[in-house]
Amino acid sequence: MKKLLPLVILFFGIVTISFSQTKIDTLQQKLQNVPSEKVRLAILDTLTKAMIRANHPDQFVFLDEVIALAKKQGDYDLAASKTRFVAQKYINNRQPDSAIYVVKELLREKSRFTTKKSEAHLLLKRGGAYFNLEELEEALADYDTSAEFFMESGDSIFAADARYFAGQVYTNLRDFVGAVNRFEEAYKLYDILGDAQYANYALSELAGLYSRNGFRDKAIFERKRILEHAKKIKSQYAIAFGYAQLASDYSYKKDYETAKIYTDSLAISLKSVPEGSNKSELMIQPHKLYVGYYLHKNDVDKAKFHLDEAEKYRLLSSAPEYNETSLLLDRADYYIKTKEYKKAQFELEKLLAKKENIGDINLNTKAENRISRVFASQRNYEQAYKHLLNHIIAKDSLNSEIKTNTFLYYQSQFETERKDNEIFKKKTEIEILEKNHQIAEGKRKVLWLAIFSIVLLAIGITFYIWQAGKRKRKLLSDKIEQNKKELKEFMAQLLDKSKVQEALTKELEELKNEMGEKQNAQKLQDLATIRILTPDDWYTFKHKFTMVYPTFFSDLKKKNYDLTKSEERLLAMEKLDLSTNEIANMLAISQDSVIRSRSRLRKKINAPKGTSILEYLEAS
């Protein structure tokens, strides 16, 4: 049976290819005689879909035609759908500039798109082209925007991809918290969608962040779990990726023998990974790891062999320029070992020239250390000393970054735990309210039974309750009026505080022009940016507000819009009929920020334009 299985798979593969080719041939024949451009466009749409699935060599000729015809007939969504495949072709052919150009050209017509999904797909492809060119800020902007559009359109799988790619960009930008957040978002989306393979990739990236920021043992623990999961779902690519990352972690720990074991496993597992650009990228890894291992063992011949193999697969990868960066240090290490110092110097200077674009302090630190040794070996002690100082500065910066990221990590963990505690507390309060409601309902039933049984006594009790209720309503009315007065006075205090802050800012600007020392001016500037509405102010405000509108915030939560604290705060200001300027002054932000916050909230709750956000929420 096992011997027949490969033959069965081969048979079905041949049948599928034959069927696809037959379908393509049939559609091409239909194009010979078509009654109208509309019919031709429909045939071309189906034909290009079949060609893309079959990876037909002529697909791009027909893609260009369908794009031109779709634009001519005003179907810009179809043009956008096909353009993303053209852009991917340019990326695969190492022409990211051309990919950016075709996307930009079609985005000029984005006002004609009928769905945000069309723009999202184009931005996703352009983000990939920017990433390939190491223009990271532009890539990040495209990835984040496309993710938002995909979420609006309900395309969670593409949103997950965009978040995953954004996490990679944040990693290169050394934004630890940003990278962790994006990869966690990607993991959650992949997990919800049941895409175990890509969920594993996201977890692998998170483990990589832990590793680079000093959490080595945590990273190794997570990667072993990821590897076991990859084996269960039989994802060959994920298994190979897991071995690569474990080997790298043990190399960082200088446990070269354990790293070698995982590198060997990686090399074996790659034989089962399907062919493609992703495999070429992964094929670089075992050879890079072997270079480090054999240089450690002083076996320069084997190191050179694996260095050449890594270069071969780099050229086959979808991002050869990007992958070259990681190989520059390996080449330099090889040349240092063989005492070819001029060649080592050349590789290291190329690496350091990319310093601003790479953003990997650890890599820069190693490069500065290596080039210092190279210059010292050539008796150029002035340059050696210069780069040694750079190495020390970079190392201090790396240690500082790791400490900062460690703090931010634990802070984020604490805030998440605190948020969970708040949610639990709210749930408990809701349960207590529900139980109180049930108790009250039971009491009413007993009361009605008592009224039915003893009419006269019920009338007396009702009259007494009515009188007591009247007094309570009077007290409550007086209390509400008093609360409104206090809230109004407190708002006036906050606005006065804002005016004082504005006056202080103007005075500080005048002082800055008169002062000569930049450091003192910076300190005064920092003083001027202190938030007007402090946490204590907000707590007092919210307390007074709740006394006037006791169910306002709980009613908002019942709408299930998952509003943030900032959005609740904005709605509270709207409830008080504050102007945009007054809201901006109270929150110590610009009026534009208030307007943008209001616009994002309108989109979030799908409130129609021209209607009050608050009225829409209260009516829904």
Side-chain angles (χ1 to χ4, degrees):
M1 186 66 184
K2 289 182 179 180
K3 292 181 179 179
L4 288 174
L5 184 59
L7 295 175
V8 172
I9 294 172
L10 178 62
F11 171 76
F12 279 107
I14 293 171
V15 169
T16 302
I17 293 170
S18 300
F19 176 77
S20 299
Q21 187 59 46
T22 301
K23 183 178 180 181
I24 290 169
D25 292 341
T26 302
L27 289 168
Q28 286 181 298
Q29 288 175 3
K30 284 185 178 181
L31 286 174
Q32 301 301 318
N33 295 302
V34 289
S36 66
E37 287 187 343
K38 185 176 181 181
V39 174
R40 183 175 184 82
L41 181 60
I43 296 171
L44 281 169
D45 182 22
T46 306
L47 173 62
T48 50
K49 286 177 182 177
M51 284 184 160
I52 289 167
R53 282 194 295 269
N55 196 23
H56 196 280
D58 296 334
Q59 60 181 288
F60 298 107
V61 175
F62 291 97
L63 280 170
D64 288 338
E65 184 180 355
V66 76
I67 291 168
L69 197 55
K71 287 195 288 187
K72 184 178 179 181
Q73 296 188 25
D75 192 345
Y76 283 86
D77 291 300
L78 179 59
S81 175
K82 303 301 180 181
T83 298
R84 63 190 173 111
F85 293 107
V86 175
Q88 187 61 52
K89 176 197 74 169
Y90 284 126
I91 293 171
N92 292 342
N93 290 344
R94 303 166 198 167
Q95 297 173 285
D97 289 322
S98 298
I100 292 169
Y101 174 78
V102 297
V103 170
K104 281 185 176 180
E105 284 298 301
L106 196 56
L107 283 176
R108 295 178 190 275
E109 309 293 341
K110 66 180 181 181
S111 60
R112 303 191 186 192
F113 296 158
T114 62
T115 172
K116 284 289 185 183
K117 181 168 65 174
S118 296
E119 185 177 354
H121 277 300
L122 294 174
L123 291 175
L124 188 64
K125 293 301 178 187
R126 190 173 70 177
Y130 279 132
F131 186 70
N132 192 273
L133 289 170
E134 296 185 358
E135 296 179 20
L136 302 181
E137 294 291 349
E138 290 81 357
L140 183 60
D142 279 351
Y143 284 144
D144 278 346
T145 305
S146 66
E148 292 173 8
F149 289 166
F150 280 130
M151 290 302 291
E152 288 179 20
S153 306
D155 291 294
S156 300
I157 187 64
F158 290 110
D161 290 342
R163 291 303 190 204
Y164 180 86
F165 297 144
Q168 292 180 319
V169 177
Y170 270 118
T171 299
N172 286 355
L173 288 171
R174 301 200 316 270
D175 188 332
F176 176 69
V177 174
V180 168
N181 289 340
R182 291 300 184 277
F183 284 129
E184 284 184 344
E185 288 178 44
Y187 169 72
K188 289 175 183 176
L189 288 171
Y190 285 135
D191 190 49
I192 291 171
L193 292 164
D195 192 335
Q197 182 172 345
Y198 277 87
N200 237 20
Y201 293 161
L203 285 179
S204 296
E205 293 291 347
L206 282 169
L209 288 170
Y210 295 145
S211 177
R212 287 188 294 276
N213 286 277
F215 300 96
R216 298 284 184 206
D217 293 331
K218 178 176 174 59
I220 288 172
F221 174 78
E222 292 294 340
R223 285 182 178 170
K224 286 181 178 178
R225 287 203 311 141
I226 293 166
L227 182 59
E228 290 304 312
H229 182 66
K231 289 178 179 178
K232 286 181 182 178
I233 63 174
K234 297 180 179 179
S235 171
Q236 299 302 324
Y237 187 90
I239 292 169
F241 198 66
Y243 282 134
Q245 292 186 319
L246 280 166
S248 296
D249 275 332
Y250 279 109
S251 291
Y252 276 120
K253 293 184 70 174
K254 299 190 184 303
D255 186 348
Y256 296 107
E257 296 306 322
T258 305
K260 173 69 162 49
I261 292 171
Y262 281 109
T263 305
D264 291 340
S265 298
L266 167 61
I268 295 169
S269 65
L270 280 170
K271 296 176 182 177
S272 302
V273 175
E275 294 297 329
S277 59
N278 285 339
K279 182 173 181 178
S280 296
E281 301 242 357
L282 199 54
M283 285 294 294
I284 300 170
Q285 298 306 312
H287 297 294
K288 273 178 55 62
L289 291 162
Y290 279 133
V291 169
Y293 176 79
Y294 286 117
L295 287 178
H296 173 70
K297 292 290 187 179
N298 294 317
D299 191 338
V300 293
D301 292 334
K302 287 186 177 179
K304 181 64 167 63
F305 169 77
H306 289 290
L307 194 59
D308 291 341
E309 287 295 298
E311 174 64 15
K312 180 179 75 175
Y313 286 109
R314 179 189 76 81
L315 295 172
L316 294 172
S317 69
S318 60
E321 295 83 4
Y322 176 79
N323 288 315
E324 183 190 28
T325 301
S326 63
L327 284 176
L328 291 173
L329 191 66
D330 294 307
R331 291 181 198 150
D333 284 340
Y334 169 77
Y335 290 131
I336 290 171
K337 183 68 74 172
T338 58
K339 298 183 179 181
E340 298 175 82
Y341 297 120
K342 285 294 182 183
K343 290 183 179 180
Q345 179 184 334
F346 176 74
E347 300 294 339
L348 291 167
E349 286 176 345
K350 280 176 63 178
L351 179 56
L352 290 172
K354 297 187 175 193
K355 182 177 181 180
E356 297 302 323
N357 292 329
I358 298 170
D360 187 339
I361 295 180
N362 188 40
L363 192 60
N364 292 331
T365 303
K366 291 178 179 179
E368 293 286 3
N369 176 264
R370 304 289 202 281
I371 201 168
S372 175
R373 288 162 43 197
V374 166
F375 278 120
S377 298
Q378 298 177 83
R379 298 186 180 182
N380 187 343
Y381 299 114
E382 181 180 352
Q383 287 295 320
Y385 178 69
K386 170 189 168 183
H387 286 285
L388 181 60
L389 286 179
N390 290 342
H391 164 69
I392 293 170
I393 293 169
K395 189 173 182 180
D396 289 343
S397 176
L398 178 61
N399 291 336
S400 175
E401 181 178 347
I402 289 174
K403 287 179 183 177
T404 300
N405 288 341
T406 301
F407 168 76
L408 291 172
Y409 171 76
Y410 284 121
Q411 183 186 44
S412 65
Q413 293 294 101
F414 168 75
E415 289 176 351
T416 301
E417 184 177 346
R418 184 172 61 183
K419 188 182 292 184
D420 291 340
N421 289 336
E422 288 178 0
I423 293 171
F424 177 75
K425 182 180 177 182
K426 293 296 181 185
K427 286 182 178 179
T428 304
E429 290 175 356
I430 292 170
E431 289 175 359
I432 292 172
L433 288 173
E434 288 177 348
K435 288 180 180 179
N436 289 340
H437 178 72
Q438 292 174 359
I439 292 171
E441 191 68 28
K443 286 182 178 179
R444 281 196 292 272
K445 289 180 180 179
V446 172
L447 180 61
W448 281 109
L449 181 61
I451 292 172
F452 182 76
S453 304
I454 312 171
V455 176
L456 292 176
L457 181 60
I459 293 173
I461 293 172
T462 303
F463 180 75
Y464 173 80
I465 292 174
W466 180 78
Q467 288 288 347
K470 184 177 179 181
R471 290 193 296 272
K472 185 179 290 185
R473 285 191 295 274
K474 181 66 171 63
L475 290 172
L476 181 60
S477 177
D478 293 342
K479 180 64 176 176
I480 290 174
E481 288 300 319
Q482 179 63 26
N483 290 338
K484 285 183 177 180
K485 182 179 178 182
E486 290 179 5
L487 179 59
K488 188 175 181 180
E489 291 173 353
F490 182 69
M491 287 167 54
Q493 292 174 12
L494 290 177
L495 291 171
D496 289 341
K497 186 175 179 182
S498 298
K499 292 175 182 178
V500 171
Q501 187 72 18
E502 287 179 1
L504 175 60
T505 302
K506 291 178 180 178
E507 291 179 12
L508 289 174
E509 288 296 327
E510 293 174 0
L511 284 174
K512 279 172 61 182
N513 295 329
E514 298 174 5
M515 294 174 63
E517 294 186 18
K518 183 178 179 181
Q519 184 176 1
N520 292 336
Q522 184 61 43
K523 290 180 179 177
L524 290 172
Q525 182 62 35
D526 292 341
L527 177 61
T529 57
I530 293 174
R531 289 176 62 84
I532 292 174
L533 190 56
T534 65
D536 289 339
D537 287 337
W538 171 245
Y539 179 82
T540 304
F541 174 88
K542 187 174 182 180
H543 175 72
K544 293 180 181 295
F545 183 91
T546 307
M547 296 298 291
V548 178
Y549 304 103
T551 65
F552 181 79
F553 292 103
S554 60
D555 288 343
L556 287 180
K557 290 186 182 298
K558 292 177 182 177
K559 305 296 183 182
N560 293 323
Y561 284 110
D562 195 22
L563 299 175
T564 65
K565 291 183 179 179
S566 297
E567 290 166 345
E568 290 182 351
R569 188 178 303 176
L570 176 61
L571 289 171
M573 302 292 178
E574 297 280 355
K575 183 70 175 177
L576 296 174
D577 290 325
L578 295 180
S579 68
T580 300
N581 184 48
E582 289 173 331
I583 294 173
N585 287 336
M586 288 184 68
L587 298 178
I589 59 178
S590 67
Q591 292 188 46
D592 288 342
S593 296
V594 175
I595 293 169
R596 284 195 299 272
S597 298
R598 193 180 284 131
S599 176
R600 284 195 297 270
L601 179 56
R602 180 181 297 278
K603 288 181 180 180
K604 183 174 184 177
I605 65 173
N606 293 321
K609 291 184 179 179
T611 62
S612 166
I613 294 175
L614 192 60
E615 290 177 356
Y616 176 77
L617 273 173
E618 291 177 341
S620 62

